[in-house]
Amino acid sequence: MILAAKLRLPMRQRLADRMWRAAKPHYLASPLLSYGLSSDAENPGARSWQELKLLGYVFSCYEQHEAYEHLLEAFDSVKPVSAEQETEKASFIGSGSGDSTLNCYRALKVTGQADVDAWQFEKVYRRRDNDDLERVKALNAFFGPSLSSGELFMPRIMEIREGSELAIIYSRLTPGTRISKSRAVVAGGAAVRMLMDLSVQTVPPDSVLRRPHPQFINAHTITRDWIAGTAPQHLSEFDAITDWVEQNCPRFLAHGDLHCKNILASGAMLDWDSCGIYPIGYDPGLILARGFGGRTVDDLESDLISHFGGKEDNRILVSAGLFYTLVFGVGKRSVLGDSLLSSLLTRVLDRMEITEC
């Protein structure tokens, strides 16, 4: 993982150069910090979340740990692990794209820890205007012991440091190669079956895990707009199916973002920010909507039966899985294509007429 990040570093540095040159004039009026990319480079503090993301990315490209840590402390009261004082080794290991996290990730070998816990993964969350952090905390509280062992597992959370604006989660680092796209459906199916074995009865009705994640709300809105524009005669049927799935389908714990980048060959499942308790078929639909399944609707249905529902036709899982493939696939039209999505809409309407819990 760390080696792969290093191989990408020159390209990330060039991008950081362009971003810094474009942004630098806007910061010259700000108080300058005593840290920087070099001894003569200005390094202002962040005045907003977007500026924090930009500056954090620039510092990560150049392994500027001291500047990065000072940036976080100046923005909020939270204090990150000091790469200089508390670790044997520290490295930035890539970046993400979500809105709720800083997307500058660090691998830290913390001194004074047992070998198995020495390497830790650092991820910075924004506490305002999103519930991703609360989802991860609730997941750890209700399912942490069950998910931290086995062939497929969630990296164990070691520590959470919280300020007023930011929170930093330190979890056990699990180095490993990512699985190939060809294995994504098989590995995803194994993960879904494992999650479906976990009881969700102890999670209270008011838990954040029982609220729909914004990604589903957005995907549903986009799908309704697409149907309204391409097949408006089916819009009322789609709304009825949405209500039926929400009210009648059994619910299970779902990862919420399973794909080949979030499942490592070691068995570690990463990035649980979108997790929740959703109707059956939620994770399978997400996986297939990314284009990792078959190229026809029959192929998609076959994948749902073979990899997610056992060898016999689990009618409710297949029907709901196709529904969620449609919902999340509309936003991925460049992957699935309008023709396949139109056929998928027809199949969803047909299956829901005969499906019973």
Side-chain angles (χ1 to χ4, degrees):
M1 181 185 296
I2 295 176
L3 176 60
K6 291 299 183 185
L7 292 176
R8 294 194 302 269
L9 194 55
M11 180 179 67
R12 297 180 70 227
Q13 288 176 339
R14 289 193 292 272
L15 176 59
D17 285 340
R18 291 197 296 271
M19 293 172 67
W20 183 247
R21 284 196 298 268
K24 185 176 175 180
H26 300 288
Y27 299 110
L28 293 182
S30 300
L32 301 182
L33 305 179
S34 58
Y35 304 88
L37 299 174
S38 66
S39 58
D40 59 351
E42 298 93 343
N43 179 7
R47 298 164 297 187
S48 68
W49 171 249
Q50 292 303 320
E51 290 183 4
L52 187 70
K53 289 169 71 75
L54 184 151
L55 291 171
Y57 179 84
V58 172
F59 295 151
S60 73
C61 291
Y62 291 93
E63 293 290 335
Q64 293 290 313
H65 293 273
E66 188 176 7
Y68 178 76
E69 293 158 12
H70 189 86
L71 184 72
L72 297 183
E73 288 186 70
F75 189 80
D76 191 16
S77 58
V78 66
K79 183 176 176 62
V81 167
S82 170
E84 180 178 357
Q85 299 176 4
E86 302 175 61
T87 70
E88 297 178 27
K89 297 179 182 178
S91 177
F92 287 96
I93 55 172
S95 56
S97 58
D99 293 329
S100 65
T101 57
L102 199 55
N103 300 321
C104 301
Y105 308 138
R106 292 201 297 178
L108 307 168
K109 188 176 184 182
V110 180
T111 57
Q113 294 280 0
D115 288 345
V116 68
D117 293 331
W119 277 105
Q120 298 183 16
F121 177 77
E122 178 190 81
K123 187 172 183 179
V124 181
Y125 287 79
R126 184 187 190 187
R127 298 198 63 184
R128 294 178 182 268
D129 303 324
N130 78 88
D131 60 18
D132 290 5
L133 172 67
E134 299 307 314
R135 288 177 184 274
V136 174
K137 291 167 63 177
L139 178 75
N140 188 59
F142 289 108
F143 301 102
S146 300
L147 290 175
S148 296
S149 60
E151 294 184 5
L152 292 164
F153 60 92
M154 174 185 72
R156 184 162 64 89
I157 292 178
M158 310 296 295
E159 181 184 5
I160 301 178
R161 301 185 179 188
E162 298 188 61
S164 59
E165 299 287 336
L166 305 176
I168 309 176
I169 290 185
Y170 293 92
S171 55
R172 182 182 291 173
L173 181 67
T174 54
T177 57
R178 292 171 175 170
I179 62 171
S180 64
K181 288 186 177 181
S182 62
R183 291 184 55 200
V185 175
V186 176
V192 168
R193 291 194 297 274
M194 181 198 76
L195 295 177
M196 289 176 64
D197 286 338
L198 300 176
S199 173
V200 299
Q201 300 304 315
T202 59
V203 180
D206 60 348
S207 170
V208 66
L209 295 178
R210 292 193 180 275
R211 296 202 299 265
H213 190 273
Q215 79 167 359
F216 170 71
I217 297 174
N218 293 337
H220 183 265
T221 300
I222 293 171
T223 303
R224 287 194 83 257
D225 290 344
W226 175 76
I227 295 174
T230 60
Q233 70 276 17
H234 295 310
L235 191 57
S236 60
E237 293 175 88
F238 174 77
D239 289 338
I241 290 173
T242 300
D243 292 339
W244 185 89
V245 170
E246 285 291 314
Q247 296 174 15
N248 295 284
C249 286
R251 291 174 176 267
F252 303 93
L253 178 64
H255 176 280
D257 196 21
L258 277 178
H259 54 82
C260 61
K261 294 182 180 180
N262 282 340
I263 307 177
L264 303 183
S266 63
M269 294 188 288
L270 311 178
D271 196 1
W272 291 79
D273 298 352
S274 305
C275 68
I277 297 172
Y278 295 104
I280 190 171
Y282 191 92
D283 269 342
L286 271 167
I287 295 170
L288 298 181
R290 296 175 182 272
F292 299 146
R295 303 311 302 168
T296 68
V297 175
D298 287 337
D299 290 339
L300 293 175
E301 187 163 333
S302 177
D303 282 336
L304 285 165
I305 295 171
S306 300
H307 300 300
F308 299 98
K311 294 303 180 183
E312 68 277 0
D313 181 356
N314 184 328
R315 179 172 293 176
I316 185 67
L317 183 144
V318 174
S319 297
L322 290 174
F323 166 77
Y324 282 116
T325 303
L326 174 68
V327 169
F328 291 106
V330 170
K332 301 280 185 182
R333 287 204 298 273
S334 61
V335 176
L336 299 184
D338 282 327
S339 177
L340 176 58
L341 288 171
S342 296
S343 299
L344 181 56
L345 173 60
T346 300
R347 182 68 58 88
V348 167
L349 297 175
D350 290 343
R351 283 198 66 95
M352 284 300 176
E353 291 179 357
I354 61 173
T355 297
E356 298 179 358
C357 287

